[in-house]
């Protein structure tokens, strides 16, 4: 599974429901008998540039890519489709607005922060950031985009396209969110690929 596919599956998983039922979210198309469902696929990527960088006195080969990612909604009715469009839109907006539930340190089952080991401050404090459902402590908050090495200012939803599969025996409604973004990969020279390193804001 591609790192971007995994990132957006993790962002959406357990956050999409239709009539109180959680919807399967993965990178494979599921059979029609379990629609509605959502799958995330990397449609295209191209290398923009490659360079050597040094982070914390360690040298890396850094590659920047432009990627097109598709979020496919498969549904049986217009009501299911519109529900999932709304929920996916909302979840992406939460990530862009730094909502506390998109923080890498937030544990959704316990509502605890893995940095402080206490209940998320966005749920306990009363201040400007907490009232906007944002983590009040920027040192603890781990942005969805930064965590996944996505250049936030390049991220766009290019289109939301209906591509229904009409058949006399069965109709499947399909909607595609077409996303575009730039992202980085880092290879430690003399070592192995790292999937979790802290990168300065200047690099992103």
């Amino acid at each position: 599974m591609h790192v971007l596919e995994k990132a957006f599956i993790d962002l959406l998983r357990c956050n999409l429901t239709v009539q109180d039922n959680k919807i399967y979210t993965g990178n494979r198309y599921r059979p029609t008998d379990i629609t509605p469902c959502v799958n995330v696929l990397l449609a295209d990527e191209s290398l923009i540039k490659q360079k050597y960088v040094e982070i914390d006195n360690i040298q890396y080969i850094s590659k920047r890519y432009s990627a097109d990612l598709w979020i496919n909604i498969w549904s049986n009715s217009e009501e299911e489709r519109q529900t999932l469009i709304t929920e996916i839109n909302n979840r992406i907006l939460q990530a862009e607005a730094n909502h506390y539930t998109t923080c890498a340190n937030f544990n959704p089952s316990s509502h605890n922060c893995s940095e402080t080991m206490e209940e998320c401050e966005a749920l306990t404090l009363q201040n400007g950031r907490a009232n906007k459902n944002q983590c009040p402590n920027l040192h603890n908050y781990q942005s969805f985009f930064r965590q996944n090495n996505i250049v936030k200012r390049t991220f766009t939803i290019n289109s939301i396209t209906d591509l229904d599969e009409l058949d006399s025996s069965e109709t499947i409604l399909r909607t595609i969110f077409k996303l575009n973004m730039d992202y980085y990969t880092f290879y430690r020279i003399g070592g192995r690929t790292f999937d979790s390193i802290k990168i300065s804001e200047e690099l992103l």
Side-chain angles (χ1 to χ4, degrees):
M1 183 187 306
H2 193 276
V3 291
L4 285 185
E5 290 176 351
K6 182 180 186 306
F8 279 87
I9 288 169
D10 289 344
L11 179 70
L12 298 175
R13 183 183 284 134
C14 299
N15 289 284
L16 305 179
T17 59
V18 170
Q19 296 177 346
D20 296 326
N21 295 316
K22 288 186 179 178
I23 300 303
Y24 166 83
T25 305
N27 72 325
R28 297 182 182 275
Y29 171 64
R30 300 300 296 263
T32 58
D33 60 351
I34 66 161
T35 50
C37 65
V38 170
N39 71 334
V40 180
L41 298 172
L42 181 71
D44 184 47
E45 73 174 356
S46 56
L47 178 66
I48 298 176
K49 64 181 176 180
Q50 173 180 314
K51 63 180 179 178
Y52 293 90
V53 297
E54 190 170 297
I55 303 170
D56 296 331
N57 298 317
I58 299 173
Q59 288 188 328
Y60 296 87
I61 299 172
S62 168
K63 294 184 178 183
R64 178 168 175 164
Y65 294 88
S66 175
D68 292 320
L69 195 79
W70 289 6
I71 300 175
N72 294 281
I73 299 172
W74 305 89
S75 54
N76 303 307
S77 68
E78 194 62 40
E79 182 181 5
E80 289 177 352
R81 175 176 19 214
Q82 292 306 320
T83 297
L84 289 170
I85 287 174
T86 299
E87 292 186 353
I88 291 171
N89 253 325
N90 182 59
R91 191 63 178 157
I92 290 173
L93 285 169
Q94 286 179 334
E96 291 182 306
N98 298 334
H99 192 280
Y100 71 88
T101 63
T102 63
C103 174
N105 292 321
F106 179 70
N107 184 328
S109 59
S110 65
H111 292 179
N112 285 353
C113 172
S114 62
E115 283 289 311
T116 65
M117 306 309 291
E118 297 178 355
E119 189 172 4
C120 174
E121 291 182 344
L123 300 173
T124 57
L125 296 187
Q126 289 294 321
N127 63 31
R129 288 186 61 85
N131 291 339
K132 290 185 287 187
N133 288 323
Q134 297 173 326
C135 173
N137 189 335
L138 291 177
H139 177 74
N140 292 338
Y141 181 76
Q142 293 298 314
S143 160
F144 167 79
F145 293 96
R146 190 166 185 179
Q147 174 199 1
N148 294 291
N149 299 334
I150 299 169
V151 185
K152 187 174 182 179
R153 65 181 178 275
T154 68
F155 175 81
T156 58
I157 299 177
N158 282 346
S159 67
I160 302 175
T161 305
D162 290 342
L163 197 62
D164 299 341
E165 298 186 5
L166 305 178
D167 188 277
S168 58
S169 61
E170 186 171 18
T171 297
I172 300 178
L173 304 182
R174 180 187 184 191
T175 298
I176 308 172
F177 277 71
K178 296 181 179 178
L179 313 180
N180 180 261
M181 69 207 78
D182 289 3
Y183 77 99
Y184 284 93
T185 63
F186 295 86
Y187 178 80
R188 181 174 178 171
I189 296 175
R192 59 183 176 82
T193 302
F194 275 67
D195 55 13
S196 59
I197 58 176
K198 291 189 176 179
I199 305 151
S200 68
E201 202 63 55
E202 291 76 28
L203 290 177
L204 298 184

